[in-house]
Amino acid sequence: MAGSVQTTPGFDLQPSAQQVPLATNYITNFDFLNQYLPDTYEKEFERYGNRTISSFLRMVGAEMPSNSDLIKWAEQGRLHTKYVNCTSAATYTPPAAVAYVDTATITINDTLVPNRATTIGTAGSIAIRVGQTIMISSKTIAAGVATTNKAIVTDVDTAAGTIDVAFYDAQGFANGDATNVFEIFVYGSEFKKGQAGMTGSLEADDEIFETSPIILKDKYAVSGSDMAQIGWVEVTTENGATGYLWYLKSEHETRLRFDDYLETSMIEAVPAEAGSGAIAAGGAVGNKGTEGIFYTVENRGNVWSGGNPESLSDFDDIIRRLDKQGSIEENVIFLNRNFGFDIDDMLAAQNSYGAGGTSYGLFDNDKDMALNLGFTGFRRGYDFYKTDWKYLNDPTMRGGLTGGEVVNGLLVPAGSTTVYDQVLGKNAKRPFLHVRYRASETEDRRYKTWITGSAGGAMNSDLDAMEVHFLSERAVCTMGANNFFIFKD
């Protein structure tokens, strides 16, 4: 048999110096694992987009240092005096005959004096004085019976919690409230010629609020052995960093996660109640908590519950409520996606020039033109702007809740307010929302990070690893909470 040269590829392989596919370096005797070796991508695929949710406080607030573990401030009370739970013996039950009287003794049953921390019945607790003129109004209306009277105060008994009044109406007092409950407010005073001045005075009583900072911590650790095995990955992270990272990739995400917690803690934190497990928790965890934004607004602000406001009449109710508060001209609603759609639909429905509220105006309706069905804000009494709040949409945070307390949005007044700083001892302008962090001339705890261990350049421990520590001590101050609205299901 004549000899021949074997030319079948795969039996006499000649490796090439470069990655060039040739007949001499083509492997034919491969197995399944060789055949399906995967292609690997150096660059991470960002399948969840921007994963961070922190930005809210950066948009609406500010950060300023504090050198105390107790932050206190005073907010102005109401300027005028009004009581809403008053009764009098001079009453009747419709449809009985009206019993008119020229004078009456009115009992003030409000638990606390308006804007004061004193209880009705204690000395000096009634903020009404002899000689002042008041309006008395029934809280329910009886047909055909006058429900509003005006009178002058002739005597005040602070111990009994009563005032004596004389009516200006010639027919005297006719209380048309079958429940015998009415409200009064002071509108002026009147004195005869040559008489002494007003007896007593009213002191401006501020409402004192306080909060305490909490300490937040996190840590990333990597062993020295793992640091010796370098693996590269190309990344584009949420804070704008791009390039190649190796073992510190997880450290970078730990930092981003800690940044988010700095904000969400200020939103969700609650103070620990007396006798709670958080106070009694052993070890290094648990303490006293702090007042987060949601907690403060729910307790001192305004709450809209039972679904989103979806009509102008709903927003009219909100506006009427804001009229009774600070009447802040501009407000921003941070909301989830469904609430944003509801507002868009409400505003679009006001347009009567097209089906479904859409109108093309005076421009050419080109077929390639996109129709903008979203709104950034509207004006009705006040200016309302809306913006999506990622925290309320993120499925791993508030956006993932399907039951219980679902927050759909938060209305935040724009600008700043003037408060009396208890530490500085003077009035100061502050944003309605701002963060106070512990700091002094020698210690700044706004955002601390340090490295311990014996790897990665650290040489301060016998631990065969590198540990990156994060710490912050902070609290959020929600000032003028009566101007905020929280929208809940």
Side-chain angles (χ1 to χ4, degrees):
M1 182 176 181
S4 63
V5 178
Q6 178 69 40
T7 60
T8 303
F11 292 93
D12 188 14
L13 295 177
Q14 298 294 326
S16 61
Q18 298 178 343
Q19 295 182 356
V20 179
L22 301 172
T24 55
N25 62 10
Y26 177 58
I27 302 176
T28 58
N29 60 336
F30 55 82
D31 58 18
F32 179 83
L33 294 178
N34 288 331
Q35 180 181 6
Y36 293 101
L37 282 176
D39 286 334
T40 58
Y41 289 86
E42 289 182 326
K43 185 175 177 59
E44 285 184 318
F45 179 70
E46 302 169 24
R47 61 173 177 171
Y48 294 118
N50 189 322
R51 296 165 299 167
T52 62
I53 52 87
S54 61
S55 64
F56 169 70
L57 287 175
R58 288 199 298 267
M59 293 174 62
V60 302
E63 292 186 345
M64 54 193 68
S66 172
N67 55 12
S68 174
D69 60 359
L70 182 64
I71 303 167
K72 300 182 68 174
W73 70 93
E75 297 183 7
Q76 292 178 340
R78 295 285 189 181
L79 183 62
H80 300 288
T81 301
K82 182 177 182 179
Y83 295 101
V84 298
N85 185 16
C86 304
T87 57
S88 173
T91 186
Y92 79 107
T93 302
V98 177
Y100 293 107
V101 294
D102 294 328
T103 62
T105 297
I106 296 175
T107 302
I108 300 175
N109 301 302
D110 294 57
T111 303
L112 296 178
V113 178
N115 306 319
R116 295 173 179 239
T118 54
T119 305
I120 294 294
T122 59
S125 61
I126 297 180
I128 297 178
R129 294 165 290 170
V130 174
Q132 290 189 312
T133 52
I134 63 174
M135 177 179 287
I136 306 171
S137 179
S138 298
K139 300 190 75 171
T140 58
I141 298 176
V145 178
T147 59
T148 300
N149 298 89
K150 295 178 181 178
I152 188 166
V153 179
T154 59
D155 187 60
V156 177
D157 188 340
T158 56
T162 61
I163 60 174
D164 292 339
V165 299
F167 295 97
Y168 283 97
D169 195 317
Q171 291 184 315
F173 178 52
N175 181 16
D177 188 354
T179 62
N180 192 27
V181 179
F182 47 90
E183 53 192 6
I184 62 177
F185 69 87
V186 177
Y187 69 87
S189 62
E190 184 184 10
F191 291 88
K192 296 176 182 178
K193 293 181 179 180
Q195 300 300 309
M198 178 75 72
T199 300
S201 65
L202 296 181
E203 296 295 329
D205 284 317
D206 292 328
E207 294 187 65
I208 308 299
F209 299 104
E210 62 181 46
T211 187
S212 299
I214 56 174
I215 300 174
L216 297 95
K217 295 182 179 181
D218 208 337
K219 181 180 72 173
Y220 169 74
V222 59
S223 70
S225 297
D226 290 338
M227 293 176 66
Q229 182 178 354
I230 299 176
W232 295 97
V233 61
E234 185 182 1
V235 297
T236 301
T237 58
E238 285 77 2
N239 66 352
T242 59
Y244 294 91
L245 296 175
W246 45 301
Y247 62 88
L248 290 182
K249 170 68 169 66
S250 294
E251 185 275 339
H252 190 70
E253 293 199 349
T254 301
R255 183 183 297 270
L256 293 175
R257 190 181 305 111
F258 184 67
D259 290 345
D260 282 354
Y261 289 162
L262 293 183
E263 177 166 304
T264 54
S265 293
M266 299 298 96
I267 296 170
E268 298 285 358
V270 297
E273 295 181 349
S276 66
I279 293 180
V285 302
N287 194 1
K288 54 188 176 182
T290 188
E291 293 187 358
I293 298 172
F294 285 171
Y295 173 86
T296 302
V297 177
E298 288 173 357
N299 286 272
R300 301 203 308 266
N302 307 285
V303 179
W304 179 281
S305 59
N308 297 328
E310 299 176 348
S311 64
L312 286 181
S313 62
D314 289 339
F315 270 93
D316 288 346
D317 291 337
I318 295 172
I319 292 167
R320 281 188 283 268
R321 179 66 179 176
L322 293 176
D323 282 340
K324 299 178 180 180
Q325 307 305 320
S327 301
I328 307 301
E329 184 69 17
E330 293 186 342
N331 302 272
V332 182
I333 305 176
F334 295 85
L335 37 66
N336 62 15
R337 184 66 70 185
N338 289 334
F339 193 3
F341 286 158
D342 288 342
I343 292 181
D344 287 342
D345 293 342
M346 176 194 72
L347 297 177
Q350 310 309 312
N351 189 347
S352 59
Y353 294 98
T358 60
S359 174
Y360 301 108
L362 299 177
F363 49 81
D364 293 332
N365 181 23
D366 188 89
K367 64 182 180 63
D368 295 326
M369 181 185 63
L371 180 63
N372 187 357
L373 295 176
F375 296 85
T376 58
F378 63 97
R379 178 171 179 82
R380 188 172 177 86
Y382 304 101
D383 289 324
F384 296 95
Y385 304 98
K386 71 179 182 71
T387 180
D388 288 335
W389 190 0
K390 190 172 183 180
Y391 175 59
L392 299 183
N393 291 320
D394 193 293
T396 61
M397 304 296 278
R398 276 278 182 177
L401 299 180
T402 57
E405 182 185 84
V406 177
V407 175
N408 298 317
L410 181 71
L411 182 147
V412 179
S416 60
T417 184
T418 300
V419 296
Y420 183 81
D421 193 304
Q422 296 287 98
V423 177
L424 297 178
K426 62 181 181 180
N427 286 337
K429 273 194 171 294
R430 295 283 185 263
F432 285 96
L433 281 178
H434 62 274
V435 173
R436 301 293 296 266
Y437 59 89
R438 292 292 298 273
S440 67
E441 291 80 1
T442 58
E443 177 73 7
D444 188 340
R445 297 170 70 82
R446 174 183 176 272
Y447 195 118
K448 292 187 64 176
T449 179
W450 67 96
I451 299 176
T452 61
S454 61
M459 295 180 291
N460 49 24
S461 170
D462 61 356
L463 179 67
D464 185 16
M466 181 187 73
E467 295 183 337
V468 184
H469 300 264
F470 304 92
L471 180 146
S472 180
E473 186 172 1
R474 57 181 56 209
V476 66
C477 297
T478 307
M479 295 183 172
N482 57 301
N483 297 287
F484 289 68
F485 251 99
I486 188 170
F487 302 91
K488 301 167 57 178
D489 279 344

